Amino acid sequence: MSLWKNYHLAQSVQDALDLLAGAPQPARLVAGGTDLLLDLQQGRHPPVETLVDITAIPEMNRLEIEAGRLWIGAAVPLNRIVANPLVCQHAEALFEACGLIGGPQVRNTATLGGNVAHALPAGDGTIALLALDAQAEIASLSARKLVPIESLFLGPGQSALVQEHALLLGFSLPLGHPGQGSVHRRVMRPQGVAIAILNMALWLEKQDGRIAQARLAVGPAGPVPFRARRAEAALQGQPMTANTLAAARQALLAEARFRTSPHRATAEYRQHVAGVLLEEALSTAWQRSNP
């Protein structure tokens, strides 16, 4: 059985949008293809009529500081993100997350946009972007707009981009400053490259020996990538103490929806791991926030 019938290499954003709307349907965007093509081959995704390849669009391959923010195009391969000093300087959690996705061969072709568009609740790149307060720029035939990352997800593997026939152009992240630090951590099964048992990203800002602000993302802790806002509130304004960690852990476990997976872990194990990762993430981000 043919997995697709038509293939187009888009040369611009407008070209991709026109193809996505006018080509024989169903049409799907493809970049690295490390998720979509495997899903098609293994029957987890129904066959498509048209693939629209966006890897040749210059705008979607930029990685640079633009208007006082870090811009990462959706078609930038993960290996470029890991190798770029701007990412390590301003978004260390994302640097760490992208270095854990797949193996070297996968990272040579897989893209950050694909990791987000696949809409898995524990996508490593997605979890890091959530903690870093990234915005996504999306384009449709009618408009372009910046939206919060969280607005892109409808459920496990369900992206709002497909419903809107929209193109994910890239991500805009705030630049890092002295007194701020971020970290990404995860626990995997021994074989290593499958979806995480649990992952976590934390960004914090330190002022006067206290946690002035914090953003915490965890996956999988619900049907979509999850911001732990109660835990963030428990951290805000607090010193780095055992009592602060205990309060944040309690808040996280009260709001997260950990479930048992027959292939990965029980809910009880994930609850335990969440506490371990939170302690490690807090300690590391606190150290990295030293001016």
Side-chain angles (χ1 to χ4, degrees), residues 113-156:
N115 188 254
V116 172
H118 203 46
L120 295 180
D124 289 296
T126 302
I127 293 298
L129 288 169
L130 271 177
L132 293 167
D133 199 28
Q135 293 180 304
E137 184 174 359
I138 62 175
S140 65
L141 287 173
S142 60
R144 291 190 183 202
K145 57 185 178 180
L146 280 171
V147 300
I149 291 289
E150 288 171 288
S151 68
L152 301 181
F153 311 112
L154 303 177

Side-chain angles (χ1 to χ4, degrees), residues 4 32 67 70 95 100 205 226 230 240 242 257 267 281:
W4 65 86
L70 178 63
F95 163 79
L100 291 172
E205 183 174 43
F226 176 68
R230 293 185 196 173
M240 184 63 170
R257 294 164 55 189

Side-chain angles (χ1 to χ4, degrees), residues 9-79:
L9 181 63
Q11 300 300 310
S12 67
V13 171
Q14 189 62 49
D15 187 22
L17 291 171
D18 290 340
L19 287 166
L20 194 61
Q25 299 296 316
R28 291 292 181 268
L29 298 166
V30 65
T34 55
D35 284 325
L36 176 61
L37 298 185
L38 189 62
D39 285 348
L40 286 169
Q41 184 183 47
Q42 297 183 352
R44 296 193 298 267
H45 191 293
V48 299
E49 287 287 323
T50 305
L51 289 180
V52 179
D53 189 333
I54 50 85
T55 54
I57 300 176
E59 182 176 353
M60 298 179 63
N61 281 280
R62 293 187 292 113
L63 200 172
E64 60 194 15
I65 293 178
E66 177 183 84
R69 293 175 69 89
L70 178 63
W71 169 262
I72 304 176
V76 175
L78 299 174
N79 65 346

